[in-house]
Amino acid sequence: MARSDAVWSEQGTTPDAIEVALRDLLIERHAENERYVPARVLNMIAFVDREWTGEIANRLRGVGRYSPSRLLVLAYEPRRERLDARVTIVSEGEPESGEFVLLRETVVVELGERHLDDLLTIADPLVVTDLPTLLWSPHGHYDIVEVLLALCQAILIDSIDEPIWREAIDRACGLSKQAYVVDLAWLRTTPWRERVAASFDPSRRRPELQAIESVTVRHHPASTVSAMMLAGWLASRLDWQPSSLATRGEELLGKAHAAQSSDGRQDVALRLQSAPALQVRGLEGLTLATTSGKELSLDRGPGGLRARSRDRGGIERSWTIPGASRGEGGILGEGIRQALLRDPTYVPAVRAAQAMLP
Amino acid sequence: MAVAAARPTTGTEAENPLSEGLERLPPPPTTLVIFGATGDLARRKLLPALYNLAHDGALPERFHLIGVARKEKAHEDYRAECEEAIRRYSRRKPDDDVLKVLLENVKYVPGTFDQDSVYAELHKLLDEFEQRAGEPLNRAFYLATDPSFFGPIVDELGRSKLAHHIHAEVRAIIEKPFGTSLEEAIELNRRVLSVFDETQVYRIDHYLGKETVQNMMAFRFANGMFEPLWNRNFIDYVQITAAEDIGIERRASYYDKSGALRDLIQNHMLQLLCHVAMEPPVSFTAEEVRNEKVKVLQAIPAPTPEEIAEMAVRAQYTKGHAGGEDVPGYIEEEGVPHDSVTETYAALRLEVDNWRWAGVPFYLRTGKRLARKLTEVAVTLKPVPHLAFSQAGSLGVQPNQLVLTIQPNEGVSLSLVAKIPGTRMAIRPVNMEFLYGTSFLSQSPEAYERLITDAMRGDATLFTRNDEVEAQWRICDPIVKLWASERDGLAQYEAGSQGPAEAERLLREGHRWRAI
């Protein structure tokens, strides 16, 4: 699809001048062809280290149609004195056969430490009023996040990126009190949560939920957080009371207290295992076992999840559930899309994960 | 802003506590049997839809597909055909690994639809799958054949004891057209319901799977500003258009028997009318939504033969220009009989005789080879009682129109009147437009992806109920019958045009067709 860009840039500029430039470029494009229409879905403010702006731009290019309609990149370089800006309006093709073509706007503002005190007055005029705004600060800068949250309804984080995963869970819990949190570490568990949930449909399988006696989650060594969130999700949805996990080699082990089931089950054993062979971040697999002797395992495999079940008679079956990997670009795109939705199960899951912290 | 914690629930028969917060829950384990597995619909729509569901991880945990068609071929050959169709028609480039996994679960049963051996083989395969899974699997029989086979297939499914399963759900998904007349629809319903319970039957109208059609309910019932105006006191007339710029392509054998009225008005366009005219349902369950739609259909009187000339127009396209090319007329199209009187254009004026809509005409029109592709619902409000801006310079002032466009640019536009900038008080109409594409990040799924998933899940909201189908036929059947009995009265329109001039006579004074 042909792309065309309209560009404006200025060194030593002001937020007012940038806003006027944005408006003029939009009017220009619309006058060129009335089928050019600006997308009006979501603002995204990305606060990034200037030296990594290119990398962030590359990551955002991978999200395809999930691009925010207006992206404001605040590129931070501590010693910068001057405010420079560049506005790009991209159309994803040419208007053909009466169909409209969306315009997306990117504003890159390069700023320094001296601008931080006035950050809100720089960013505020550059987001579209009445649209939800998502904040992303992939390089940390938590003090700046606190400031910018005043403009935002949602914040995008990736708890896996935190150098210390224990802190990641505390931070996610803290942020969730201030804004709606979209956590890519949580979104990496979505296909697993869907499949685990579907494993207890139809309703004749439902009673097995109360017979789960052990949960094992296998994860990329850098994705302990995702594994904890998955375990936290099960605990919060099934009303288990988890306690701290203990580290044993490459594993985290512990228990969650569950309501006594008809067969006397009281506790659920939790085991989070690091899987060093896994090439991509996220989960490698999980196994659920019940007091009746049933077991279900789901593991990554080519073309989908490899499922293995063992029934109470010990008969084993295996098959593949088709599904394509979303890739990191897909997960980031999904994160942007999720900013417009509300998942009420994240906060309880992450709080349960917090209770499991060693 | 913190999100309130959802209360955990315990596992019961009624609810799955793990499904809370998930955007989708894959349907329960299912075997899908497609009758007419090598046909156009299966190749172009159903197989690509299944692939895309597989790609998204949205198929059931255990999923098998059995294709049934007349030609003798091996499982492997059918798999190769499926692959070819998916690669050609899928909305996204297939992932080789996912495609391989999907195809591994595909089997083929050859034979005619009245052949006992077909059903015996189906029995055998379905039992095998269950044995392998170690549990009962739901079954969905998708009838994607020529409509003349719907009855015989249903009969055979009943005879061979495949229509019910003591431990799993069995569903029949039936493609359109559901009968070609009221009598046929009633008879087909009788046959279907002598084998299946109505709750097992999913009659497809793929328009209902379109997001923008579903959104009409959200638009009406979730926005307080429209509902107070949504009645005979404020609305002058409603116009529903489904125009196509293409001809009949290679579908002469189907289309010449069907015609525009049966092809689009009897099903899709009456469904659109229902969405415009229905009362708010008590809840959005399948039964409540369909109850309200049936009430609308029951409020539309079936025309008498004498009334038909006044409220219906039919026409056929002649050669003309479309898409920058010379195109042939309908009877010059390949496979069309030279003396065919099949209508390629139909327009109706219907009335919904109830408290809300009495006296408001609903104009419906559809046609092939019209000026462009367009599906829309236009609601025209009554003019203001006095226009004080009549001085020179006011341009084309018209009553407000609310247009819900279903394709190609899904959205809503409202025509308003605004002052022309300048020193004089001159006014002209302007449009306030909302385009779906500008306001959502997600792409709408293909209608068939949604419908197949819903059928496997057992949600019948987007499917047509037996009484709904019969009510639709009751409105259209007298017109179909009269037109079939008369060779005269078929108007003509040039390909690529706005349609026949004769359509003007359906309009009441002051009303006009919108430009296509």
Side-chain angles (χ1 to χ4, degrees):
Chain A
M1 191 183 279
R3 277 166 53 110
S4 62
D5 300 351
V7 183
W8 170 94
S9 66
E10 190 168 77
Q11 295 181 336
T13 190
T14 63
D16 274 356
I18 304 169
E19 206 236 332
V20 169
L22 260 168
R23 209 172 331 128
D24 287 349
L25 284 179
L26 280 171
I27 291 168
E28 236 172 66
R29 300 276 4 222
H30 193 69
E32 197 182 310
N33 189 317
E34 64 177 18
R35 288 279 151 196
Y36 283 125
V37 290
R40 285 291 174 259
V41 189
L42 176 76
N43 298 306
M44 183 169 175
I45 301 176
F47 190 89
V48 302
D49 289 334
R50 186 179 173 275
E51 57 188 319
W52 297 107
T53 320
E55 188 247 338
I56 294 301
N58 274 340
R59 285 184 69 184
L60 284 169
R61 258 193 289 277
V63 307
R65 67 172 182 270
Y66 296 129
S67 298
S69 39
R70 180 172 291 178
L71 171 65
L72 170 60
V73 179
L74 301 173
Y76 177 61
E77 190 180 25
R79 275 182 276 178
R80 167 172 284 275
E81 290 291 319
R82 198 180 59 202
L83 203 66
D84 293 348
R86 180 183 170 86
V87 176
T88 313
I89 297 191
V90 177
S91 64
E92 294 171 342
E94 300 296 327
E96 281 170 12
S97 63
E99 299 217 2
F100 66 86
V101 173
L102 285 183
L103 298 176
R104 290 202 168 85
E105 304 132 28
T106 301
V107 183
V108 180
V109 180
E110 298 186 351
L111 43 79
E113 195 164 358
R114 66 176 289 261
H115 300 109
L116 293 183
D117 286 345
D118 300 317
L119 196 55
L120 279 184
T121 60
I122 294 172
D124 198 356
L126 301 179
V127 292
V128 182
T129 317
D130 293 337
L131 286 188
T133 301
L134 173 68
L135 174 62
W136 186 34
S137 179
H139 304 130
H141 300 292
Y142 301 116
D143 45 343
I144 306 292
V145 165
E146 291 290 328
V147 174
L148 288 172
L149 272 177
L151 287 180
C152 305
Q153 291 74 46
I155 178 163
L156 180 72
I157 61 172
D158 190 349
S159 292
I160 281 178
D161 279 343
E162 289 271 354
I164 302 168
W165 60 265
R166 290 169 182 81
E167 287 177 13
I169 288 180
D170 286 336
R171 194 176 317 281
C173 282
L175 283 171
S176 67
K177 290 176 187 149
Q178 297 171 269
Y180 179 67
V181 175
V182 179
D183 191 340
L184 301 185
W186 171 249
L187 297 183
R188 287 187 186 88
T189 69
T190 305
W192 304 90
R193 286 183 284 124
E194 285 175 352
R195 277 301 158 197
V196 170
S199 300
F200 295 92
D201 264 359
S203 56
R204 64 171 180 271
R205 293 184 183 173
R206 212 68 48 76
E208 292 289 330
L209 276 173
Q210 295 186 13
I212 295 173
E213 65 171 0
S214 75
V215 177
T216 303
V217 185
R218 296 172 284 283
H219 60 88
H220 184 275
S223 300
T224 311
V225 174
S226 284
M228 293 207 58
M229 285 177 179
L230 186 69
W233 169 70
L234 280 168
S236 60
R237 298 312 310 150
L238 298 174
D239 213 7
W240 302 341
Q241 307 301 321
S243 46
S244 291
L245 303 181
T247 308
R248 198 181 67 190
E250 295 296 301
E251 293 183 336
L252 286 171
L253 298 172
K255 278 191 163 63
H257 182 73
Q260 188 164 9
S261 62
S262 52
D263 59 10
R265 176 207 68 170
Q266 198 79 68
D267 286 332
V268 180
L270 303 175
R271 174 188 295 240
L272 311 185
Q273 290 179 321
S274 174
L278 185 60
Q279 301 291 311
V280 291
R281 299 196 296 178
L283 304 181
E284 186 192 50
L286 67 91
T287 301
L288 301 178
T290 67
T291 49
S292 60
K294 288 188 180 177
E295 197 173 278
L296 173 71
S297 292
L298 297 170
D299 285 280
R300 273 175 197 264
L305 294 180
R306 190 77 190 137
R308 187 175 53 77
S309 74
R310 194 186 65 211
D311 66 21
R312 63 186 76 186
I315 297 174
E316 291 206 358
R317 296 180 171 85
S318 60
W319 69 100
T320 304
I321 305 167
S325 165
R326 292 170 295 172
E328 282 297 305
I331 288 167
L332 180 58
E334 182 61 16
I336 296 170
R337 190 179 77 86
Q338 288 286 333
L340 299 166
L341 306 173
R342 291 295 178 264
D343 178 352
T345 62
Y346 171 72
V347 173
V350 85
R351 284 192 189 139
Q354 194 177 32
M356 287 183 229
L357 286 175
Chain B
M1 181 184 61
V3 175
R7 264 190 72 180
T9 48
T10 52
T12 65
E13 281 291 298
E15 53 195 324
N16 181 346
L18 300 182
S19 64
E20 171 87 24
L22 293 173
E23 274 190 84
R24 67 169 178 228
L25 185 66
T30 304
T31 301
L32 180 69
V33 180
I34 300 179
F35 289 92
T38 54
D40 234 28
L41 178 72
R43 285 167 44 76
R44 285 172 185 262
K45 297 288 181 189
L46 305 185
L47 292 167
L50 289 171
Y51 170 75
N52 282 296
L53 290 172
H55 187 105
D56 290 335
L59 279 182
E61 167 196 296
R62 282 183 180 274
F63 177 78
H64 300 275
L65 171 66
I66 305 176
V68 184
R70 199 162 40 84
K71 277 189 190 154
E72 196 68 43
K73 67 184 77 173
H75 297 306
E76 296 72 40
D77 295 336
Y78 180 60
R79 283 184 203 122
E81 282 182 23
C82 290
E83 181 175 346
E84 189 270 330
I86 290 166
R87 289 195 187 281
R88 187 156 170 202
Y89 297 114
S90 168
R91 68 182 162 89
R92 57 156 77 94
K93 187 176 182 293
D95 174 300
D96 289 344
D97 290 332
V98 176
L99 187 54
K100 185 167 170 256
V101 172
L102 177 69
L103 294 174
E104 276 167 6
N105 293 309
V106 173
K107 298 271 187 188
Y108 182 75
V109 175
T112 56
F113 302 129
D114 57 356
Q115 220 174 311
D116 288 347
S117 60
V118 166
Y119 299 88
E121 183 62 16
L122 279 179
H123 243 309
K124 199 177 116 200
L125 285 173
L126 291 165
D127 289 347
E128 254 177 50
F129 295 152
E130 293 195 355
Q131 205 129 25
R132 214 183 301 159
E135 64 173 347
L137 305 175
N138 288 353
R139 297 166 181 184
F141 296 103
Y142 199 123
L143 278 56
T145 62
D146 182 281
S148 61
F149 295 118
F150 293 167
I153 292 171
V154 167
D155 292 344
E156 289 298 330
L157 288 171
R159 233 192 314 275
S160 56
K161 310 262 181 279
L162 282 166
H164 298 276
H165 190 308
I166 195 160
H167 298 298
E169 302 291 338
V170 181
R171 298 181 177 113
I173 307 165
I174 304 176
E175 260 299 331
K176 74 153 200 163
F178 197 87
T180 59
S181 65
L182 178 60
E183 291 80 15
E184 271 189 33
I186 291 172
E187 171 57 13
L188 186 53
N189 265 333
R190 190 197 61 72
R191 281 172 89 169
V192 169
L193 297 177
S194 69
V195 172
F196 293 99
D197 183 79
E198 175 63 28
T199 56
Q200 294 177 277
V201 184
Y202 295 75
R203 295 172 192 81
I204 291 262
D205 183 332
H206 72 266
Y207 255 49
L208 297 181
K210 288 180 185 284
E211 290 272 325
T212 38
V213 175
Q214 294 163 43
N215 193 62
M216 284 172 70
M217 286 199 280
F219 177 79
R220 281 192 57 200
F221 303 133
N223 294 294
M225 64 193 284
F226 298 113
E227 202 50 28
L229 308 176
W230 214 256
N231 57 58
R232 63 190 302 275
N233 298 323
F234 295 95
I235 290 177
D236 197 10
Y237 61 101
V238 176
Q239 203 174 103
I240 304 176
T241 301
E244 290 183 272
D245 53 352
I246 55 170
I248 54 163
E249 301 196 301
R250 286 180 312 226
R251 296 166 67 223
S253 63
Y254 160 75
Y255 197 86
D256 198 61
K257 278 188 260 168
S258 168
L261 185 66
R262 282 188 179 114
D263 190 42
L264 273 157
I265 292 184
Q266 180 273 330
N267 35 59
H268 306 324
M269 296 186 74
L270 284 179
Q271 284 291 337
L272 290 180
L273 185 153
C274 287
H275 280 78
V276 175
M278 69 193 272
E279 295 299 317
V282 175
S283 66
F284 280 92
T285 60
E287 286 315 294
E288 293 298 342
V289 171
R290 299 194 294 184
N291 286 345
E292 294 305 334
K293 288 197 289 174
V294 169
K295 282 185 206 164
V296 172
L297 294 167
Q298 285 170 341
I300 301 173
T304 62
E306 297 71 40
E307 288 168 336
I308 288 170
E310 300 297 313
M311 53 74 70
V313 164
R314 61 173 164 159
Q316 202 178 66
Y317 63 82
T318 58
K319 68 180 179 187
H321 311 280
E325 288 178 356
D326 292 343
V327 294
Y330 177 68
I331 53 170
E332 285 109 43
E333 299 270 16
E334 194 184 324
V336 174
H338 289 299
D339 58 350
S340 171
V341 289
T342 298
E343 80 282 0
T344 60
Y345 176 99
L348 306 183
R349 186 186 65 236
L350 299 175
E351 307 264 349
V352 180
D353 288 346
N354 62 18
W355 194 276
R356 187 189 282 262
W357 294 112
V360 178
F362 283 73
Y363 301 109
L364 277 58
R365 64 175 164 168
T366 182
K368 296 275 186 197
R369 282 275 187 242
L370 290 170
R372 70 188 178 98
K373 181 179 173 151
L374 173 75
T375 305
E376 67 171 26
V377 175
V379 177
T380 305
L381 274 73
K382 290 189 170 167
V384 292
H386 171 65
L387 195 63
F389 308 100
S390 55
Q391 62 174 279
S394 292
L395 301 168
V397 175
Q398 298 291 336
N400 301 123
Q401 250 181 0
L402 181 71
V403 182
L404 297 110
T405 308
I406 289 152
Q407 59 182 4
N409 291 324
E410 298 98 325
V412 181
S413 92
L414 177 63
S415 74
L416 304 166
V417 173
K419 181 183 174 298
I420 301 170
T423 52
R424 289 190 307 171
M425 191 58 197
I427 57 175
R428 75 167 172 85
V430 292
N431 273 350
M432 190 164 79
E433 276 196 81
F434 158 68
L435 296 161
Y436 278 103
T438 64
S439 300
F440 294 97
L441 293 171
S442 314
Q443 250 184 349
S444 299
E446 281 285 309
Y448 276 98
E449 292 170 31
R450 171 74 197 265
L451 294 172
I452 291 171
T453 307
D454 280 5
M456 288 196 290
R457 196 195 306 289
D459 180 350
T461 312
L462 302 181
F463 297 84
T464 320
R465 204 167 59 188
N466 57 345
D467 51 348
E468 213 174 340
V469 170
E470 289 176 17
Q472 289 172 341
W473 271 117
R474 193 184 44 75
I475 297 162
C476 293
D477 200 51
I479 308 168
V480 168
K481 286 212 169 77
L482 185 76
W483 284 358
S485 67
E486 288 182 348
R487 292 193 65 80
D488 304 335
L490 181 70
Q492 292 189 322
Y493 62 102
E494 196 180 316
S497 71
Q498 293 283 321
E502 286 79 353
E504 297 292 324
R505 73 175 154 79
L506 300 185
L507 300 174
R508 297 231 171 103
E509 194 183 339
H511 298 177
R512 62 185 180 87
W513 290 111
R514 281 170 53 81
I516 290 171

